[in-house]
Amino acid sequence: MIEDQADTLADLGLCEVAKAIARRNVTSVAVTEACLARIGQMADRLNCFLAVEKDAALAQAAQADAAVARGQVVGPLHGVPLAHKDLFYRAGRVVTCGSRIRRDFVPTITATVIDRLEQAGAVTLGALNLAEFAMGPTGWNEHFGPTRNPWSVDHVSGGSSSGSAAAVAARCVFGSLGTDTGGSIRVPAAFCGVVGLKPTQGRVSRYGVMPLAHSLDCVGPLARSARDCARLLSAIAGPDPFDPTASPQGVPDYERELDGNIRGLRVMVSRTLVEEIGDAGIRQMLTRSLDVLRDHGVVLIEAAMPDLALLNTLNAVVFLCEAATLHGKWLRERREEYGPQVRERLLAGLLYPATRYLEALSLRGKLLEEFVSRVFGAADLLYLPAVPAGVPTVAEASTRDVEAALILNARLTPFTPFSNYLGLPTIAIPAGFAQDGLPVGFQLIGRPFAEALLLKAADGYERAVDSGPKMCV
Amino acid sequence: MDKNDLEVPVPYLRDFCVGPEEAERVAKGVQSAGNRVRALAADRLTFEDEPAAFGRVLERTRLP
């Protein structure tokens, strides 16, 4: 396949390519080869793949094409190449979790979400880089190196789902799964200019996913449009007998309501908060996104924000205590095998008394109820910046000064961990590019299980700004 | 931060072979978060609040 054809195919959206395969306008093998060609061009520069499974992917694609030839399209992702953060278990395959400790770990089970994607017909291209054990908003990885940003290779992609966002933005795959415990889907989505959705706590099964903090972890999609995210979420959401924490609520057709109409939608925002952002390029793009929403009929409701810092603190206590518990044995026996940034964060979780942890968990229901009443009593959605600071350089993220690294992490995440603590669904949406040419994103937050509304709003915004796919480096 | 939060856990970190400087730094990082949660709990937590309430509120406050 010549390079131009490969780029043209790889530049299609996930839903477009699924439709083209199902209609026999293109084969899954051709699409998979196009993705492999993009990976060949990009993956080394970006360091977004930890493993490329070329032969297995082409065999899966050939099977998908044979099924189409027989008139069998097995599901809405038939023949579509995807790859995921390397912490989703696949029986018999190494899953590193971005760590030295699990460099050779071979699980005996397959994650429910991976099973569901394959049942929907997806082709798996390989495994994607991530921050070590999914800890770190820059995506820095001591063992496998940083994932670089497709819009500027001197900058990081964000994390912890670093490879997912970079591979999607670079057109190496049509979509990817990530996980989010404090912003790990939304931060890289914002830094790479793609859409990332953290679902409601319990909306998506976590069976067979390396945990970080049981009470907070969410699995969600990253893709180049809201519609593509909707397709992926429809495939993975829903009850799971293997995960008792998965909600029994039925799953709607998330694509059905994507009609582009956002008129009359009530969105709460603090313009003051946006105006206080120091980076003029980010401020300008966020202001423009609010203007676009308003000009397309969204009712912006100005309001002071709840105390997000307090909610973030509660998230940190739960997160650190649970993560330190999970890693306790390795912290004792294999301390030197952790990168210093991750090790020091984990150690902090050992210091909280059990009563602090239980206080943070016990306050969760009450604070969620208050938040929902205050915000969603007056509005349908809440608007926040995704990240109020510029994308860090690789040099900034790779500092050996742990204290500096933790300060940088905190600077990137004032607006993301709270929705994990409250369990609320949140979507990160591209808002354009700052003066340095790097992407800027904003978030919309909804009531519990309001994923359909979030996707509808994101889709409406995309149509309003006509933010079709753009090619990066 | 009260004594129980700082003085007990720092020796505990020695089980994890962490030097005293790192242990002190980690402990100090915990200080403000622990204090905020403790103050909030003292002010707001009642006998009716418990971790499982969160799941019920999540289901109850969903979109109609």
Side-chain angles (χ1 to χ4, degrees):
Chain A
M1 180 180 301
I2 61 172
E3 202 167 283
D4 282 354
Q5 282 178 320
D7 278 350
T8 303
L9 282 178
D11 202 34
L12 293 172
L14 181 153
C15 292
E16 288 174 297
V17 86
K19 190 174 174 182
I21 292 168
R23 291 185 173 181
R24 303 178 71 168
N25 293 334
V26 64
T27 64
S28 175
V29 167
V31 171
T32 302
E33 284 175 342
C35 288
L36 289 166
R38 285 293 291 172
I39 292 167
Q41 292 166 22
M42 308 296 299
D44 283 350
R45 290 167 72 189
L46 301 181
N47 193 32
C48 53
F49 271 83
L50 294 182
V52 179
E53 296 160 8
K54 179 182 173 183
D55 293 342
L58 287 171
Q60 268 187 300
Q63 285 176 7
D65 288 335
V68 172
R70 293 193 302 270
Q72 297 170 340
V73 173
V74 304
L77 297 168
H78 190 101
V80 177
L82 307 173
H84 313 293
K85 189 176 187 176
D86 194 25
L87 49 54
F88 295 97
Y89 297 173
R90 291 187 295 153
R93 290 186 183 271
V94 170
V95 178
T96 67
C97 307
S99 70
R100 184 172 155 192
I101 288 174
R102 283 204 144 177
R103 189 181 283 266
D104 301 314
F105 170 61
V106 179
T108 55
I109 60 168
T110 296
T112 294
V113 289
I114 299 299
D115 262 344
R116 287 181 176 172
L117 291 177
E118 292 191 349
Q119 282 164 18
V123 169
T124 304
L125 275 174
L128 298 171
N129 203 356
L130 67 158
E132 182 182 4
F133 287 122
M135 287 182 72
T138 65
W140 169 250
N141 187 308
E142 187 77 14
H143 314 293
F144 295 102
T147 306
R148 293 173 182 270
N149 196 300
W151 301 95
S152 161
V153 293
D154 294 331
H155 291 77
V156 296
S157 63
S160 65
S161 307
S162 52
S164 296
V168 169
R171 277 65 179 154
C172 296
V173 295
F174 293 95
S176 179
L177 295 186
T179 55
D180 192 316
T181 310
S184 283
I185 288 174
R186 293 161 285 156
V187 172
F191 281 178
C192 291
V194 300
V195 181
L197 174 63
K198 182 208 92 66
T200 307
Q201 192 74 40
R203 177 69 297 183
V204 177
S205 166
R206 298 172 301 173
Y207 176 75
V209 184
M210 169 77 193
L212 178 55
H214 291 111
S215 301
L216 308 166
D217 294 339
C218 292
V219 174
L222 297 97
R224 295 197 290 268
S225 72
R227 182 173 292 278
D228 291 352
C229 279
R231 177 74 57 97
L232 290 167
L233 184 64
S234 294
I236 61 173
D240 176 13
F242 293 113
D243 180 358
T245 68
S247 171
Q249 299 287 348
V251 180
D253 177 353
Y254 291 113
E255 287 182 70
R256 193 178 57 200
E257 291 186 42
L258 304 184
D259 58 5
N261 181 15
I262 50 177
R263 190 162 294 282
L265 199 63
R266 299 170 303 154
V267 174
M268 182 176 284
V269 60
S270 167
R271 286 256 187 193
T272 309
L273 186 147
V274 172
E275 285 160 7
E276 284 172 356
I277 290 173
D279 185 309
I282 296 174
R283 200 167 60 237
Q284 190 181 355
M285 284 299 105
L286 294 174
T287 302
R288 192 192 72 137
S289 72
L290 287 168
D291 292 345
V292 168
L293 289 169
R294 183 200 58 211
D295 293 346
H296 286 77
V298 169
V299 180
L300 297 177
I301 300 169
E302 178 69 29
M305 285 298 106
D307 189 349
L308 302 181
L310 177 61
L311 296 169
N312 289 343
T313 298
L314 289 155
N315 192 75
V317 171
V318 174
F319 160 58
L320 292 173
C321 291
E322 293 186 355
T325 305
L326 285 164
H327 286 265
K329 181 176 166 61
W330 289 334
L331 279 174
R332 281 190 180 86
E333 298 173 358
R334 306 174 72 171
R335 186 177 74 88
E336 297 303 328
E337 294 180 59
Y338 287 95
Q341 293 184 21
V342 170
R343 185 182 67 238
E344 188 152 323
R345 286 183 76 196
L346 286 171
L347 288 173
L350 299 171
L351 297 191
Y352 291 101
T355 41
R356 280 305 90 74
Y357 170 66
L358 285 168
E359 284 165 356
L361 281 182
S362 299
L363 285 162
R364 213 174 171 198
K366 172 175 278 176
L367 295 177
L368 170 61
E369 194 142 39
E370 289 176 4
F371 190 95
V372 167
S373 172
R374 175 173 168 179
V375 174
F376 302 117
D380 301 306
L381 300 172
L382 173 66
Y383 175 104
L384 279 172
V387 183
V391 181
T393 63
V394 171
E396 286 171 319
S398 62
T399 176
R400 306 301 298 179
D401 180 343
V402 174
E403 209 162 356
L406 298 181
I407 290 169
L408 174 62
N409 290 352
R411 192 157 58 84
L412 302 177
T413 55
F415 302 132
T416 48
F418 82 93
S419 66
N420 296 80
Y421 179 71
L422 296 178
L424 296 172
T426 307
I427 194 164
I429 303 165
F433 295 84
Q435 285 152 350
D436 57 7
L438 286 157
V440 175
F442 67 91
Q443 298 181 97
L444 294 175
I445 298 103
R447 277 178 178 269
F449 299 97
E451 286 83 0
L453 185 61
L454 290 175
L455 289 161
K456 177 183 170 73
D459 174 67
Y461 177 80
E462 285 170 9
R463 296 188 202 206
V465 295
D466 192 27
S467 65
K470 298 179 186 71
M471 196 60 81
C472 43
V473 291
Chain B
M1 184 173 226
D2 63 30
K3 288 184 177 179
N4 283 340
D5 285 341
L6 187 59
E7 293 185 5
V8 174
V10 171
Y12 171 66
L13 278 186
R14 290 179 194 143
D15 289 353
F16 297 86
C17 306
V18 176
E21 284 180 15
E22 188 179 19
E24 285 293 337
R25 189 167 67 231
V26 170
K28 282 178 185 165
V30 168
Q31 185 173 5
S32 72
N35 279 348
R36 286 203 80 182
V37 173
R38 187 178 53 188
L40 183 69
D43 186 38
R44 302 292 314 279
L45 210 55
T46 70
F47 275 92
E48 283 69 44
D49 297 315
E50 41 98 15
F54 171 69
R56 295 195 291 273
V57 177
L58 207 59
E59 298 288 342
R60 191 170 72 237
T61 55
R62 69 191 302 240
L63 272 175

